[in-house]
């Protein structure tokens, strides 16, 4: 099994999952079911998280198949552009879906503007994901191309190249992105340490409810890291995919993200009152989150030394 | 300069700089990032609370976070000392395209930041914590702390880009 294989397995999740999440979201509106709506939002957030390894293994897969006979470099380029756009909107959709989950917990219902936003974004993302998936299928499946279908237009501008030009032709972009990556990780860790240590039993005088208010700040820090991290990755994908532990880092980030969903919406966490001990499950999730995050920090810091 | 050059040749400095072991330079850098996440991370959230974010968080229990913050600071003092030792002349004596000016800028903001953090801790250990509404002095200290940390992080990151900045 190599990264091309993992990409082929992984790519189905965000594609089909986004369709599923959107379908559940619509069904929830029709049936006026809160549980169904929460479920649809969770699906959308998880799909956005899975989008990260899907995009990254895709870049690795490209390096593996690019020079094979019968593979069109232009088809790869077109799929890559479509995938980049789909990934961007999947991430934005996941962010607003997470915000809706957070609002559900804090205000018992998401704000109506956000419901509309998630609806429109997920609809758009469904279209973009299907398009990216179809163009990806064209790369290595001649049997599914329509008869006489021209393979991708080789003259299409590669957005990756545009991104690389922006990143490398300006002396300030790389150090600026690195600085923001550090500021983002500081915010993320500050919030994560406080929330998870409280769950584990430190600062017990603080009710969990009041810390829940901090979560958007931590997510903002994570988004700063994700955005600048994707800049590094797009600028230098070959370098990163060559480091095996880079994939460990990405996996740990996805796991930490899933734990975030727990602390965003579960009663077990929300109901920890002042001076109250958290249930064992909550403590376990908290230990897990900190292990995942420190692991991600470690494997991130080690990237330059493992090339 | 002679003393700094001698420092650079000590066993620890050589180990951090030249050892192929993972426990050398990579581990010092990792520890430095982890310490940053702990001390700057937690203190920034506390500062944000003083400035009005998540105002439902009671102030008194936050006191128990300070030992953890100082533990993070200590990790960075030790790992930072190791990293400095390995490259002492370059980071201390200005001139000849050396990193000293940017490194010292970072040190300035780190020291001011640490003093501010200590003042916040002192104030919080007093009656300040009883009201749950931070005084204007507490808010000023908190805002200054956030500015110091951001500037220290920017300067810290730019140390490695000295040649591009100072030519």
């Amino acid at each position: 099994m190599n990264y091309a294989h993992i990409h082929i397995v992984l790519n189905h999740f965000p594609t089909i999952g986004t369709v599923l999440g959107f379908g559940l979201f619509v069904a929830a509106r029709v049936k006026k079911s809160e549980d169904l709506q929460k479920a649809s939002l969770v699906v959308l957030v998880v799909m956005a998280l899975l989008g990260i390894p899907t995009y990254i293994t895709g870049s690795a897969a490209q390096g593996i198949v690019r020079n094979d006979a019968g593979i069109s470099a232009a088809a790869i380029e077109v799929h890559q552009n479509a995938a980049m756009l789909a990934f961007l909107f999947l991430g934005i959709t996941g962010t607003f879906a997470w915000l809706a989950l957070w609002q559900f917990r804090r205000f018992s219902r998401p704000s109506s503007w956000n419901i509309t936003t998630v609806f429109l974004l997920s609809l758009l993302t469904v279209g973009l994901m299907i398009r990216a998936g179809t163009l990806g299928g064209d790369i290595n499946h001649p049997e599914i191309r329509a008869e006489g279908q021209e393979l991708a237009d080789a003259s299409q501008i590669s957005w990756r190249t545009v991104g690389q030009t922006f990143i490398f032709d300006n002396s300030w972009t790389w150090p600026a992105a690195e600085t923001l990556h550090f500021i983002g990780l500081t915010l993320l860790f500050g919030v994560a340490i406080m929330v998870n240590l409280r769950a584990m039993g430190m600062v017990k005088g603080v009710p969990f409810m009041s810390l829940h208010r901090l979560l958007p700040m931590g997510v903002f820090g994570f988004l700063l890291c994700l955005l600048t991290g994707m800049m590094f990755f797009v600028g230098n994908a070959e370098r990163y995919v060559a480091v095996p532990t880079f994939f460990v880092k990405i996996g740990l980030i996805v796991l930490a993200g899933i734990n975030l969903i727990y602390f965003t919406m579960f009663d077990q966490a929300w109901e920890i009152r002042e001076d109250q001990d958290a249930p064992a499950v909550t403590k376990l999730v908290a230990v897990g989150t900190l292990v995942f995050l420190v692991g991600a920090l470690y494997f991130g810091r080690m990237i330059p030394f493992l090339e | 300069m002679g003393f700094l050059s001698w420092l650079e040749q000590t066993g620890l400095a050589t180990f951090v700089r030249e050892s192929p072991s993972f426990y050398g330079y990579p581990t010092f850098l990792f520890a430095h990032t982890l310490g940053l996440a702990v001390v700057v991370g937690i203190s920034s959230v506390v500062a944000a609370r003083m400035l009005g974010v998540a105002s439902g968080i009671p102030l008194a229990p936050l006191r128990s976070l300070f030992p953890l913050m100082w533990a993070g600071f200590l990790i960075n003092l030790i790992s930072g000392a190791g990293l400095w030792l390995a490259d002492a002349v370059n980071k201390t004596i200005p001139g000849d395209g050396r990193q000293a000016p940017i490194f010292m800028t970072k040190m300035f903001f780190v020291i001011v930041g640490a003093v501010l953090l200590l003042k916040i801790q002192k104030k919080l250990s007093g009656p300040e914590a009883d009201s749950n509404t931070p005084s204007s002095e507490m808010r000023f200290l908190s805002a200054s702390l956030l500015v110091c940390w951001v500037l220290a992080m920017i300067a810290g990151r730019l140390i490695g880009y000295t040649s591009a900045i100072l030519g």
Side-chain angles (χ1 to χ4, degrees):
Chain A
M1 192 154 87
N2 58 23
Y3 292 126
H5 189 173
I6 296 173
H7 180 64
I8 287 165
V9 176
L10 262 183
N11 73 60
H12 295 88
F13 289 92
T15 315
I16 298 167
T18 312
V19 176
L20 177 74
F22 176 73
L24 283 175
F25 190 82
V26 173
R29 293 305 283 171
V30 173
K31 293 206 149 207
K32 301 199 187 330
S33 161
E34 251 184 34
D35 288 339
L36 211 53
Q37 189 163 44
K38 282 182 193 163
S40 72
L41 294 168
V42 171
V43 170
L44 290 173
V45 175
V46 173
M47 291 314 134
L49 286 169
L50 288 178
I52 304 170
T54 307
Y55 185 85
I56 282 168
T57 51
S59 280
Q62 174 182 173
I64 294 169
V65 300
R66 194 168 192 101
N67 297 318
D68 288 3
I71 297 282
S72 147
I76 292 179
E77 210 59 71
V78 171
H79 167 57
Q80 179 165 265
N81 279 355
M84 205 186 256
L85 189 66
F87 177 52
L88 179 68
F89 276 90
L90 180 60
I92 298 172
T93 306
T95 303
F96 282 96
W98 175 81
L99 189 67
L101 282 175
W102 181 81
Q103 291 172 326
F104 247 125
R105 180 82 273 182
R106 189 164 165 74
F107 310 115
S108 1
R109 76 171 74 85
S111 48
S112 53
W113 66 263
N114 198 12
I115 291 292
T116 315
T117 307
V118 173
F119 173 78
L120 293 175
L121 280 172
S122 54
L123 178 62
L124 178 63
T125 304
V126 164
L128 292 171
M129 289 301 298
I130 292 175
R131 179 167 161 267
T134 310
L135 290 168
D138 283 347
I139 293 172
N140 213 358
H141 289 285
E143 74 280 10
I144 59 172
R145 286 177 209 142
E147 212 169 308
Q149 177 191 345
E150 286 286 318
L151 255 184
D153 175 9
S155 66
Q156 191 175 350
I157 298 166
S158 160
W159 292 351
R160 194 169 152 221
T161 314
V162 173
Q164 284 170 333
T165 310
F166 171 71
I167 293 161
F168 290 121
D169 285 9
N170 299 297
S171 58
W172 57 270
T173 38
W174 199 273
E178 281 181 327
T179 307
L180 287 174
H181 204 66
F182 273 85
I183 292 174
L185 91 82
T186 308
L187 275 176
L188 168 62
F189 272 80
V191 173
I193 291 172
M194 281 191 60
V195 168
N196 291 289
L197 283 187
R198 168 62 189 95
M200 285 158 70
M202 245 186 103
V203 281
K204 266 196 188 157
V206 180
F208 187 86
M209 209 180 277
S210 65
L211 290 174
H212 188 266
R213 177 65 188 76
L214 290 174
L215 292 178
M217 199 165 110
V219 169
F220 176 73
F222 171 67
L223 291 175
L224 267 184
C225 286
L226 182 62
L227 202 68
T228 49
M230 287 312 295
M231 257 181 75
F232 304 140
F233 184 76
V234 168
N236 238 337
E238 291 77 12
R239 241 186 82 189
Y240 289 100
V241 299
V243 180
T245 52
F246 177 65
F247 292 90
V248 179
K249 167 174 175 165
I250 298 302
L252 290 168
I253 290 169
V254 173
L255 291 174
I258 288 169
N259 282 9
L260 168 70
I261 298 176
Y262 176 84
F263 286 112
T264 303
M265 62 186 298
F266 274 58
D267 295 343
Q268 285 170 332
W270 177 254
E271 285 165 1
I272 308 168
R273 310 223 174 279
E274 201 177 321
D275 294 323
Q276 219 178 36
D277 212 26
V281 180
T282 312
K283 286 184 180 167
L284 208 64
V285 179
V287 173
T289 314
L290 290 180
V291 170
F292 298 152
L293 285 178
V294 173
L297 189 75
Y298 178 77
F299 288 116
R301 192 68 266 196
M302 289 304 134
I303 290 169
F305 305 104
L306 292 169
E307 280 180 81
Chain B
M1 173 97 81
F3 175 64
L4 293 173
S5 306
W6 174 80
L7 274 182
E8 279 187 11
Q9 298 313 316
T10 53
L12 179 63
T14 314
F15 172 73
V16 174
R17 190 175 54 239
E18 290 163 22
S19 166
S21 158
F22 245 70
Y23 299 106
Y25 190 67
T27 297
F28 274 75
L29 265 188
F30 166 65
H32 209 60
T33 315
L34 185 65
L36 163 85
V38 172
V39 63
V40 178
I42 302 178
S43 65
S44 299
V45 173
V46 169
R49 160 65 186 92
M50 300 303 176
L51 293 169
V53 177
S55 50
I57 299 176
L59 295 186
L62 298 180
R63 289 171 185 148
S64 61
L65 287 169
F66 281 84
L68 185 64
M69 292 185 218
W70 291 117
F73 191 82
L74 188 67
I75 292 176
N76 275 20
L77 198 64
I78 295 169
S79 55
L83 294 166
W84 172 78
L85 215 57
D87 195 25
V89 174
N90 185 19
K91 289 194 161 60
T92 319
I93 315 267
D96 297 337
R98 293 199 196 105
Q99 294 174 341
I102 301 177
F103 177 77
M104 288 305 170
T105 307
K106 171 182 169 177
M107 282 306 105
F108 172 77
F109 289 116
V110 169
I111 291 166
V112 177
V115 171
L116 289 167
L117 188 61
L118 202 63
K119 277 175 172 276
I120 291 173
Q121 183 180 15
K122 282 245 164 71
K123 264 190 94 55
L124 204 59
S125 65
E128 174 94 26
D130 299 335
S131 73
N132 280 335
T133 320
S135 61
S136 58
E137 195 195 337
M138 183 63 114
R139 291 203 302 272
F140 175 74
L141 289 172
S142 299
S144 312
L145 180 71
L146 289 176
V147 172
C148 270
W149 286 153
V150 169
L151 292 175
M153 278 192 277
I154 293 174
R157 196 73 293 244
L158 293 184
I159 293 170
Y161 291 90
T162 300
S163 58
I165 298 164
L166 301 179

